[in-house]
Amino acid sequence: MHRSLRPLTRPVTYTRWLHLLIPIAFVAIWLFIDMQRVWVLGLLVVPLGLIPAVRLEEGIQAQLLLTPGERGRPDASISVAPSATWRDRWRTVLWLEARLVLSGLAIAGTVWLPSVSVDLVARGLGGPPLVFGWMAPGLAPHGWLVPLALVPLIVMLACLVLAGNLITFIARMLLGPSAGERLSALEERTELLLERNRIAREIHDSIGHALTVAVVQAGAARAAGDPAFTDRALAAIEETGRAALEDLERVLLVLRETGLPASQRPTLLEADRLIESARGSGAEVDAEFSGPLEQVPGPVSREGYRILQEALTNVLRHSGPVPVRIRMAVLGRRLEMDVTNPLTGAAPGGKGGSGLRGMRERAALLGGEAETGAYEGEWRVRVRLPLDTLI
């Protein structure tokens, strides 16, 4: 099919045509009231356009018929919100005026051009014009008038496509999102992306930790060949699995938008669960906590828990059951955390790992910092978080 004919095969071309024809109902009602002063309609739409809800109604209709592919999209080029400012109201007035003018032209062309084709066929066959009598005196019957009748129809189809594109362009200009609406949509999208990233980190940290502990425990139990050790390993795997399921359920509740409060997520007051899980995997954990951890603000405590969880996960994943030293202290208005272990084999967070990056992102979100790397023959995770950060 030739490129120029493709618009005629698109459904949106005809929904736009329908949008142009809708105002004929209001015009017909007015013509029934006063046929002589049609121009008064242009004045009547001014107070109508100043009503905030009219912009919402026009936006819904325009988006449905002019840009159906954008329905429900946050970046839609036509807004579906009531007027929030006087600028929006006057833009709606201009839209109504432009819609009336273009609709009048579209209706006239839809009626007049096919009528010309009918009269050309009638005169070509030797009969009188059926619609426009003025064609009779100056147009003699000729057979070539019949194929000429295709010209008005082709012009009508071309006008149909052009008028649809024009009304859509004007709708995007006058009914498009205002600067405030664009900013609000951008903020909502940013919040959504941040929430998705947070959920991805939650899943990575909690489930990754549980799977790492289970793998290490299973490997150790198989190598030990001791029924008693195997029982302890299975118990540790069971406990870690239950904790991972609880964390997963929390994340799924967030995804289902049940309004789960952040206070239900684990904090540093539950750090013993992580330490016991690591010890159950065979690691020798030396933990020392100082300062009032219960006074650490919720956001800092929750993110600190996840950072500690990822640090222990990296130890078990990359170094196995080795001695681990944890030092955590509340000093003035900051929380300090150091997690160190002997550097054996590959360094944690090698190629493709996202755990170390996730720790740094969590710390940066709180206005703190997280340093990871080799230090004096050990692998060290050093975290500093301010306690006066609000999220």
Side-chain angles (χ1 to χ4, degrees):
M1 181 179 293
H2 195 271
R3 183 179 301 177
S4 61
L5 298 179
R6 288 178 184 173
L8 298 177
T9 64
R10 298 166 56 199
V12 70
T13 299
Y14 302 97
T15 60
R16 290 174 177 176
W17 186 24
L18 175 61
H19 184 272
L20 287 166
L21 297 181
I22 286 176
I24 188 61
F26 302 98
V27 176
I29 293 173
W30 179 257
L31 290 177
F32 180 77
I33 298 173
D34 189 349
M35 187 177 299
Q36 302 299 322
R37 289 177 289 185
V38 181
W39 57 268
V40 177
L41 271 176
L43 298 178
L44 293 179
V45 300
V46 174
L48 188 65
L50 296 178
I51 301 174
V54 171
R55 184 167 181 262
L56 171 62
E57 177 273 328
E58 288 293 320
I60 293 174
Q61 186 183 126
Q63 195 178 96
L64 178 65
L65 297 178
L66 300 181
T67 57
E70 298 180 0
R71 289 182 60 193
R73 284 171 43 181
D75 58 343
S77 59
I78 297 177
S79 174
V80 287
S83 300
T85 63
W86 279 102
R87 185 173 182 273
D88 290 341
R89 296 180 183 183
W90 286 113
R91 288 171 67 198
T92 306
V93 171
L94 290 176
W95 159 252
L96 293 176
E97 298 284 1
R99 187 179 180 186
L100 270 179
V101 172
L102 286 177
S103 295
L105 295 176
I107 292 167
T110 302
V111 174
W112 186 73
L113 290 171
S115 299
V116 171
S117 295
V118 171
D119 279 358
L120 287 174
V121 172
R123 291 300 291 161
L125 297 177
L130 300 178
V131 182
F132 299 114
W134 54 267
M135 294 181 66
L139 195 61
H142 291 287
W144 56 265
L145 291 176
V146 174
L148 189 62
L150 293 175
V151 175
L153 296 179
I154 294 173
V155 172
M156 183 191 72
L157 293 176
C159 292
L160 170 64
V161 175
L162 294 175
N165 292 338
L166 180 58
I167 194 68
T168 303
F169 173 77
I170 296 175
R172 284 170 171 157
M173 277 201 317
L174 299 178
L175 295 181
S178 62
E181 289 172 337
R182 288 193 180 94
L183 180 60
S184 177
L186 179 60
E187 290 176 348
E188 289 180 6
R189 181 169 178 80
T190 301
E191 288 294 328
L192 178 61
L193 291 175
L194 289 175
E195 182 66 12
R196 287 179 177 176
N197 287 334
R198 185 186 69 78
I199 291 173
R201 287 197 301 266
E202 294 282 338
I203 294 176
H204 173 272
D205 293 349
S206 61
I207 305 304
H209 174 78
L211 291 176
T212 299
V213 169
V215 169
V216 172
Q217 288 278 10
R222 184 178 61 178
D226 183 359
F229 183 85
T230 300
D231 289 341
R232 291 195 301 271
L234 290 175
I237 292 173
E238 181 182 9
E239 182 181 350
T240 304
R242 284 201 182 100
L245 286 175
E246 292 176 3
D247 288 340
L248 182 60
E249 187 172 353
R250 292 190 185 102
V251 175
L252 292 178
L253 285 174
V254 173
L255 289 174
R256 294 177 188 135
E257 301 179 349
T258 57
L260 177 70
S263 59
Q264 293 188 22
R265 299 201 295 271
T267 66
L268 286 175
L269 296 179
E270 303 173 58
D272 288 344
R273 189 176 76 176
L274 296 176
I275 295 172
E276 291 304 319
S277 176
R279 285 172 177 164
S281 299
E284 298 177 8
V285 181
D286 176 19
E288 181 180 318
F289 300 89
S290 61
L293 287 179
E294 68 278 358
Q295 295 181 12
V296 174
V300 178
S301 188
R302 288 189 290 272
E303 297 302 319
Y305 177 93
R306 291 306 186 192
I307 291 174
L308 176 60
Q309 184 180 54
E310 180 59 32
L312 290 175
T313 300
N314 280 337
V315 172
L316 295 173
R317 180 181 298 155
H318 298 282
S319 300
V322 298
V324 183
R325 186 173 64 253
I326 300 174
R327 297 292 183 265
M328 190 178 303
V330 177
L331 301 175
R333 297 306 302 163
R334 74 178 186 276
L335 172 70
E336 295 189 359
M337 181 194 310
D338 287 326
V339 181
T340 58
N341 63 276
L343 190 57
T344 60
K351 294 181 180 180
S354 60
L356 301 183
R357 183 177 66 250
M359 285 191 284
R360 289 191 289 267
E361 289 176 353
R362 289 180 185 275
L365 185 63
L366 294 165
E369 58 181 1
E371 299 175 1
T372 59
Y375 178 76
E376 296 183 353
E378 295 183 318
W379 180 264
R380 181 177 71 173
V381 175
R382 188 182 186 191
V383 181
R384 303 291 182 268
L385 303 176
L387 300 184
D388 53 359
T389 301
L390 295 178
I391 294 183

